[in-house]
Amino acid sequence: MSEWQPVFVVLGVALAGVALLYAAGRWLAGPAEPAPAGAFAGGLAPAEHAASRFHVRWYAVAMVFLAFDMEMLFMYPWAVVVAEVGAAAVVEMFVFLGILLAGVGYAWREGAFRWA
Amino acid sequence: MAEAAPLWWALALPPVLAVAAAATALAAAPAGHGVAPLRELARRRRRTVAADAPLATLGAVLLPLAAVSGAVVLPLGFRSVSDLAVGVVWFNAMAALAWPAVWLAGWGPNSALSLIGGYRFLAQGLAYEVPHMLALTTAALGAGSLRVGAVVEAQRGLWFVTWMPVAFAVHLLSAAAMAFWGPFDRPVGRDVAGGAAGELGGADRLSFLGGRWLLLVVAAGMAVPLFLGGGHGPLLPAWCWTLVKTAAVLAALLWLRRRLPAVRMDRFAAVAWTVVTPLAVAQALVVAVVVLGR
Amino acid sequence: MGVRAALRRRAVARPAVLLAAVPGGTPSRLAVERAVRAAGWPLVEGPAAADLLVVAGRPAPGAAGWWDELYDRLPGPRARVSVAEPEHAARALSAGRDLLRAAGGAAARPARPSGRHGGPGPGGPVVAGPVVAGPVSDHLPLAERGDDRDGLRLDVLRLPLGPVLLDWPAGLVLRLALQGDVVVSATMDPPSPAPAAGGPPFWDEPWLRAARGEPVARAAAARRLCAAHLDSVGRLLGVAGWAALAGSAHRLRDGLLTGADPAAVRRGARSLVRRGERSLTARWMLRGLGRLPTALARRAGVTGPALAAGGDAYDRFRCWLAEIERSAGLLTAPGLLGAGERVGPRGRLGGGRPPSAALLDVLPRLVEGSEFGAARLVVASLDPDLDELSRAAAHG
């Protein structure tokens, strides 16, 4: 666990630094309470709350990403053992990646990467 | 394997990184437009109508924390604050924290343009993250270890950049994209009036934008142990080589910004998936075959 | 207190400027941009990052409350100045900095009573300029749902965009309906009439004067034309996120307007045009945006570069670049402008409608269906000049 000890020290120092930043800002900038303001889009008052259900048109890309992201979890430990396991590890991994890339090709043909 | 650094390195790391980030920001700004932390700090924080202020602040604070945490595995010469056994994954995980950070900063203020900026970063992440992870894996594959110190050690003779140039290029591209810098700055772009940073004022703003600079420095610094041989090099001491190489990578990223207009994700995503990702996979395959042959 | 006051004064040594240009205030806007660049101050995108609000031009009477509201969005310490005459720009900026410095010693602005809390907050004196805007209300309606082009029923967010944005036509207000970051519909507010005191639209001035029979040197007209296109290109590049090249365009424009040597301008223009033309990324990012074919443009009454380009935003960008190089070659042309030569930077002048009116007519159609960033690029690639319209509105 000792290799993690410095990580926590760094995190603690960084946190203290950010806290110091906010304290300095408060000392320097006057009233502690944040200034109330209207949202800005050129100067006119917004007609509605901006925090609406935002239509993410790239959700199909997110699905493709998720497939790859899960795969990457296997790829990190795989990278360590390739030399030991040998050719079988390489073949299996790249067949898997090939299948995923075929999926990417299909998604591309279906227009999943064009959303605007 | 790298020798352990004394604990005071851990205390010194955040301030040293802050200085490096400030120096980079200064070098990046055209004359007279130097970053002015004092100017930001002397401004009041602000809260927009019906904002989720804690979320926005969380986003602003998370960014520098993630960047600094990721930097613990960065070796100066051959020693890092902590040479974690899963160093490469740790760096990746910390860099990925930029996703929630930028999105929270964009969502919190309840402002349409800031919200658009936040979502732009998620779309950007979907485009750059997979090639980036492939690039990181490729470097780890070449060394047969996820320990950054071991990756540096494996480049004693030949730097990885010479036989995995695609992975190196992808890492540079991703460094700019994860720090929403240069051609990838649309999440905080001018066209959305500052985007995710557009409604942050005072300390929030300084923390968020400072965190962005930190992230750029750390991501650029990571290219050195992964691809540029870390501290290896003739004549100069190892720590000096690390600094020189990091500065060179940063200079390349700053130059990129001057040369290119911004890249919009509705055009770039298709290229990222159909060109960059297959290239990164091919690079990994080449490296895997070389590793088998050794 | 001594240290704190000194730090506060130091913090506003180079204040960040939010520049709000009023229709009809183009000369003042250019003067302020030039003065801000000369002083090395940053121009910022929005109020959150701003210390100093600079109003360029003469705001319409009766709009005072609106300006107070805009000023109210600056977190403070803050100050505001207005620049009605271009020659006062540098003086107004330094006056603004003095206001900020004076404000630095005192406490920052008082917290105003907000809609929720009611009572007045703690605080000191009002820093600079009265604040009379009403309380910030958080009783906004939520976005309603509407049909989406993908056949779904989704939230439609109505958003008034403008008039104070960087690289945005001064005075333009677009009312957008957004689903996600895609513009589903756009309408425009009618342009506000300019105050009677203003002269002719700055960019059209040489041709309008020649049409009235005044002697206007051909070289002076070329200078104005080149500067107008450099201004447009600079704004398009700014929106496109190419700050370095946008900066060169604006420097070149300022040089032209302050009488720079024609040979130097020609050199600068050539290098700028080459860099713009060679950029594959610019082509990749602008291709296919806001397509305005020649037939459609002609039917809508569009003249000038937008008609000549007869295509998308990239074609208009290239057309501007070509015009810049061409007019930079005419900076030493002899002779006077004929009364019949009436083609200004944005199209044919004289006749019933100013050229920007036609550009504004086609604008909503061109932004509908595009992503938000693309919509901004389309607006910047047309770059309508509302000075022309506000004159028309004021006169008839």
Side-chain angles (χ1 to χ4, degrees):
Chain A
M1 211 49 205
S2 73
E3 69 173 10
W4 290 97
Q5 191 189 350
V7 179
F8 289 116
V9 174
V10 166
L11 203 57
V13 175
L15 258 175
V18 172
L20 198 68
L21 190 79
Y22 275 80
R26 186 174 167 170
W27 175 73
L28 204 58
E33 189 192 328
F40 181 73
L44 296 176
E48 289 158 345
H49 279 292
S52 56
R53 281 161 292 185
F54 193 94
H55 181 24
V56 284
R57 282 168 202 270
W58 30 264
Y59 56 86
V61 187
M63 292 296 129
V64 177
F65 173 81
L66 219 54
F68 258 91
D69 203 35
M70 286 298 108
E71 191 273 342
M72 297 310 297
L73 292 183
F74 301 118
M75 211 161 168
Y76 277 127
W78 166 83
V80 181
V81 298
V82 166
E84 294 168 35
V85 179
V90 174
V91 170
E92 281 170 15
M93 180 51 84
F94 283 91
V95 166
F96 188 21
L97 278 169
I99 293 169
L100 285 177
L101 282 179
V104 169
Y106 175 73
W108 173 71
R109 211 194 62 183
E110 293 291 307
F113 302 130
R114 290 190 317 250
W115 66 82
Chain B
M1 189 186 139
E3 43 191 319
L7 199 61
W8 66 264
W9 277 42
L11 296 173
L13 179 70
V16 166
L17 280 176
V19 170
T24 314
L26 213 59
H33 287 216
V35 277
L38 187 62
R39 185 171 60 213
E40 306 290 346
L41 212 53
R43 225 175 275 138
R44 262 179 85 180
R45 295 171 61 207
R46 67 207 283 279
R47 183 210 299 264
T48 40
V49 176
D52 201 329
L55 279 192
T57 302
L58 180 63
V61 170
L62 192 56
L63 205 55
L65 291 184
V68 172
S69 309
V72 295
V73 296
L74 274 184
L76 177 65
F78 300 113
R79 294 159 106 192
S80 50
V81 168
S82 179
D83 195 17
L84 301 175
V86 290
V88 175
V89 185
W90 172 256
F91 165 75
N92 192 357
M94 291 300 109
L97 280 180
W99 291 41
V102 178
W103 184 80
L104 286 174
W107 169 272
N110 190 23
S111 161
L113 296 189
S114 151
L115 189 65
I116 290 175
Y119 274 106
R120 275 184 183 181
F121 189 69
L122 295 190
Q124 186 156 309
L126 295 177
Y128 81 78
E129 188 71 41
V130 162
H132 184 226
M133 288 198 285
L134 282 164
L136 293 180
T137 313
T138 306
L141 180 62
S145 170
L146 293 171
R147 194 182 284 280
V148 177
V151 177
V152 174
E153 202 47 46
Q155 300 177 72
R156 182 172 287 281
L158 195 61
W159 296 359
F160 279 176
V161 66
T162 52
W163 56 293
M164 26 184 115
V166 175
F168 174 66
V170 166
H171 179 82
L172 278 196
L173 211 66
S174 320
M178 80 174 69
F180 38 107
W181 163 257
F184 296 100
D185 70 350
R186 291 298 85 182
V188 293
R190 259 171 108 134
D191 58 338
V192 279
E199 299 286 0
L200 303 177
D204 290 324
R205 187 179 174 78
L206 182 56
S207 174
F208 186 78
L209 294 181
R212 175 199 193 193
W213 284 107
L214 284 170
L215 198 57
L216 185 71
V217 168
V218 173
M222 198 64 186
V224 176
L226 288 187
F227 299 102
L228 297 177
H232 292 297
L235 299 176
L236 295 177
W239 62 268
C240 202
W241 271 117
T242 306
L243 294 187
V244 168
K245 290 171 183 175
T246 306
V249 173
L250 279 171
L253 289 174
L254 300 193
W255 176 82
L256 197 67
R257 178 194 167 86
R258 292 194 60 81
R259 297 298 303 177
L260 295 180
V263 173
R264 290 199 322 281
M265 281 309 123
D266 53 334
R267 300 256 156 123
F268 182 75
V271 173
W273 280 98
T274 55
V275 179
V276 183
T277 304
L279 274 177
V281 169
Q283 173 76 89
L285 178 60
V286 169
V287 171
V289 170
V290 171
V291 167
L292 278 188
R294 275 203 299 231
Chain C
M1 198 60 200
V3 178
R4 178 147 54 168
L7 280 176
R8 279 181 183 161
R9 287 172 60 87
R10 182 92 190 75
V12 292
R14 289 178 193 277
V17 174
L18 179 64
L19 174 57
V22 175
T26 302
S28 302
R29 166 175 73 84
L30 296 172
V32 171
E33 286 184 9
R34 192 160 55 227
V36 164
R37 182 169 317 108
W41 298 358
L43 268 180
V44 292
E45 300 100 346
D51 304 305
L52 183 61
L53 173 65
V54 179
V55 180
R58 292 173 198 280
W66 188 83
W67 291 101
D68 289 334
E69 257 177 68
L70 178 66
Y71 181 56
D72 214 36
R73 290 166 197 229
L74 272 63
R78 56 189 178 159
R80 64 171 155 186
V81 290
S82 56
V83 180
E85 300 299 331
E87 50 273 17
H88 298 158
R91 211 183 325 147
L93 287 184
S94 63
R97 183 173 57 178
D98 291 342
L99 280 173
L100 280 168
R101 283 201 168 138
R109 67 150 162 156
R112 280 184 316 99
S114 82
R116 254 167 310 168
H117 303 297
V126 172
V127 174
V131 176
V132 295
V136 174
S137 162
D138 57 356
H139 298 296
L140 287 174
L142 291 167
E144 309 225 349
R145 289 192 299 166
D147 288 325
D148 170 63
R149 60 177 186 192
D150 301 340
L152 305 165
R153 236 182 124 64
L154 296 160
D155 282 8
V156 183
L157 183 65
R158 288 174 300 139
L159 178 75
L161 190 68
V164 178
L165 293 168
L166 265 189
D167 301 324
W168 178 259
L172 178 64
V173 175
L174 271 186
R175 300 200 178 259
L176 302 180
L178 295 165
Q179 283 181 326
D181 56 1
V182 170
V183 178
V184 288
S185 77
T187 55
M188 206 161 4
D189 280 10
S192 57
F202 179 75
W203 295 124
D204 300 337
E205 198 186 350
W207 298 272
L208 291 178
R209 277 176 44 211
R212 282 204 304 265
E214 294 176 37
V216 178
R218 206 171 277 282
R223 199 167 267 270
R224 189 64 61 90
L225 185 70
C226 190
H229 287 323
L230 280 168
D231 188 48
S232 299
V233 162
R235 283 146 70 119
L236 176 60
L237 289 171
V239 175
W242 198 351
L245 205 59
S248 336
H250 285 157
R251 267 191 302 278
L252 215 52
R253 171 201 71 188
D254 291 346
L256 269 169
L257 294 175
T258 48
D261 169 44
V265 170
R266 218 168 293 142
R267 266 198 310 279
R270 198 171 306 133
S271 122
L272 174 89
V273 168
R274 290 292 161 271
R275 282 183 70 187
E277 284 176 346
R278 276 199 209 123
S279 173
L280 293 177
T281 320
R283 174 201 290 263
W284 181 25
M285 287 300 132
L286 292 175
R287 260 291 169 234
L289 300 184
R291 219 180 273 283
L292 183 64
T294 313
L296 189 65
R298 193 160 284 139
R299 214 169 327 133
V302 173
T303 53
L307 174 70
D312 53 25
Y314 184 69
D315 293 321
R316 291 191 283 276
F317 172 61
R318 290 295 294 262
C319 191
W320 275 339
L321 290 180
E323 280 290 294
I324 286 169
E325 195 161 25
R326 190 185 65 82
S327 53
L330 296 175
L331 291 179
T332 49
L336 296 179
L337 212 57
E341 294 180 58
R342 290 191 176 185
V343 181
R346 285 170 179 80
R348 180 156 290 282
L349 298 163
R353 309 181 72 213
S356 290
L359 292 177
L360 287 175
D361 284 345
V362 296
L363 183 67
R365 218 178 318 163
L366 295 188
V367 298
E368 276 168 19
S370 51
E371 188 261 340
F372 184 87
R376 285 238 28 201
L377 285 168
V378 169
V379 174
S381 75
L382 292 170
D383 200 27
D385 181 11
L386 271 73
D387 290 17
E388 296 176 353
L389 273 95
S390 51
R391 296 297 306 162
H395 284 258

